[in-house]
Amino acid sequence: MAQVTAVEAQQWLIEKIAHRLGVAPGEVSPEQYFDELDLDSTEALILAGEMENWLGFELGTTTLWYHPTIKDLAAHIAEESGQRAAA
Amino acid sequence: MPPRRPGPVAALPLRRAAVGGHTVHLVHPGALAPQVHRTLAEALPEGVGLTVLDLSAVPEYGEAALTGGRAETTVEALADWAAGLTSHQFSLVGWSFGGVVAQAMVERLPADRRPERLVLLDSIAPTEEYQQPDEALEPPLLLGWFAMYLGAKRGRPVPLDPAALLGCGVDDGLPLVLDAATASGALLPDTPLPGLRKLYDTYVDGLLRNNRLTAPYRPKSSSVPLVLVKAERSLIPEDPTLGWQPLAPHGLSLAVAPGDHYTMLTRPDAAQAIARLVHPV
């Protein structure tokens, strides 16, 4: 897959989370912590698997602990994607 | 940014004992949240407390389920950790792999601190019969357990005919679980297969972690009587003792609780049955 930017990753995350929560994307703040969203651990892992499939590379299961907001995770994904594209 | 995840609580009191009262300690191996034992806490007689000893609070153990299933610890080390959390007067219960740790814990305590008996909730004995390499845990078995787990996590059973899984690998078996889970309402209709695969892989890593800890472990025979409560839909339906007989020279009592390996912890009727065995009135 081509390199993913932070904006693209953030948009993807917001769309998927909004769909899971049954709310409009505008209601999901990129600053919100994942554990403040109404997603249980099952849904969080399913989302992580779907994201890895979209990205084409694996993210560690502990990634969400260390990048606990949508914005922070999107930035991490962009960095990781950039490193892989450059390699 | 610092990690956000709050660490699991090592000893989680779900009900406090009355002053001078008795406390039940329950060794919990993860997979489900430790609060799942609240139903049992509420079923215990008035004044009796229940504290969950959550093995997930041991970093080497808890994080291994998220990082490939290899824990840099041993059953003995986990047992010593859990024993250090106990009070003086207590009853002891272990669910699933927690039963293996609880049994080791009893034998590592001084004789005057041991409980009168040990109650095992659908726990498989760490005996030769069940000490097996990873390859012995084949996909049809794991997929069936995963469907059971998914149903318990989502509060909706995922009915899946074991015969349909016979001969399946993960790639052709997991879509059957997905179909059953969406049909039962346990998962949203558009749940993607790669998402379910991530959940399955994490679940299996937790099982493999426990299997790998059990494989080299050499248990001592129990110095106290054992009480095994099997779930009606146990992980191993065909073995009434789940392998505990050789470790029970002081007796092995058998009971059955309604539900499966996971829902036996949340069903009030199962909790009533277990409470009577844990703390006879």
Side-chain angles (χ1 to χ4, degrees):
Chain A
M1 177 172 184
Q3 187 176 342
V4 175
T5 66
V7 171
E8 288 168 336
Q10 183 169 304
Q11 194 176 354
W12 188 94
L13 281 164
I14 286 177
E15 278 176 14
K16 294 293 178 185
I17 290 169
H19 175 65
R20 294 248 149 227
L21 299 178
V23 301
E27 290 180 45
V28 179
S29 164
E31 312 282 350
Q32 207 166 354
Y33 285 97
F34 289 112
D35 60 8
E36 291 170 350
L37 298 164
D38 195 18
L39 286 176
D40 67 16
S41 60
T42 305
E43 288 168 320
L45 278 169
I46 287 173
L47 182 67
E50 189 178 4
M51 186 165 61
E52 289 175 351
N53 189 54
W54 173 64
L55 292 169
F57 60 84
E58 203 171 328
L59 290 166
T61 310
T62 53
T63 302
L64 263 63
W65 303 357
Y66 293 98
H67 305 283
T69 67
I70 293 171
K71 188 176 178 179
D72 189 40
L73 179 60
H76 171 73
I77 288 170
E79 189 184 336
E80 184 77 24
S81 178
Q83 284 172 3
R84 284 170 186 268
Chain B
M1 191 174 276
R4 168 85 171 175
R5 181 179 183 262
V9 177
L12 177 67
L14 293 181
R15 195 164 83 167
R16 304 264 181 199
V19 177
H22 197 89
T23 295
V24 174
H25 287 300
L26 194 155
V27 183
H28 178 74
L32 300 177
Q35 289 82 0
V36 75
H37 300 291
R38 203 175 293 281
T39 319
L40 176 59
E42 287 165 4
L44 291 168
E46 203 59 39
V48 175
L50 186 139
T51 294
V52 177
L53 309 180
D54 187 357
L55 299 178
S56 301
V58 178
E60 298 87 345
Y61 179 84
E63 290 176 18
L66 302 174
T67 54
R70 293 189 189 280
E72 295 297 320
T73 185
T74 61
V75 170
E76 291 91 337
L78 292 169
D80 289 344
W81 174 86
L85 300 170
T86 57
S87 53
H88 275 283
Q89 192 191 5
F90 68 100
S91 305
L92 191 59
V93 181
W95 171 60
S96 198
F97 177 70
V100 174
V101 174
Q103 197 264 333
M105 195 176 149
V106 171
E107 299 317 312
R108 296 172 75 80
L109 282 168
D112 62 348
R113 287 206 55 215
R114 289 176 189 161
E116 285 180 19
R117 62 188 178 286
L118 170 62
V119 178
L120 303 158
L121 304 181
D122 217 37
S123 178
I124 300 172
T127 44
E128 204 172 323
E129 189 180 357
Y130 292 110
Q131 288 173 314
Q132 49 202 352
D134 291 350
E135 308 79 72
L137 297 170
E138 293 183 336
L141 181 71
L142 295 175
L143 287 162
W145 291 355
F146 177 62
M148 200 186 277
Y149 162 80
L150 189 57
K153 284 283 276 188
R154 306 297 293 172
R156 290 182 188 231
V158 177
L160 195 59
D161 180 4
L165 294 171
L166 283 178
C168 278
V170 180
D171 290 340
D172 48 349
L174 205 54
L176 301 178
V177 178
L178 181 58
D179 288 347
T182 51
S184 74
L187 292 176
L188 290 174
D190 57 355
T191 300
L193 191 58
L196 190 65
R197 178 66 188 243
K198 180 82 173 177
L199 183 63
Y200 173 80
D201 287 344
T202 306
Y203 170 77
V204 170
D205 280 349
L207 290 180
L208 291 178
R209 170 196 60 192
N210 298 347
N211 193 55
R212 289 165 185 160
L213 285 168
T214 302
Y217 172 56
R218 297 291 170 263
K220 288 183 182 168
S221 290
S222 181
S223 57
V224 301
L226 301 180
V227 179
L228 172 66
V229 187
K230 267 193 80 175
E232 264 174 6
R233 285 188 60 218
S234 171
L235 293 182
I236 313 282
E238 61 276 15
D239 182 350
T241 69
L242 296 181
W244 285 101
Q245 192 68 67
L247 295 178
H250 296 278
L252 174 65
S253 310
L254 302 176
V256 175
D260 64 32
H261 181 69
Y262 301 102
T263 58
M264 72 184 296
L265 305 177
T266 51
R267 287 177 57 140
D269 51 358
Q272 291 292 341
I274 294 167
R276 285 192 290 273
L277 296 164
V278 170
H279 196 276
V281 179

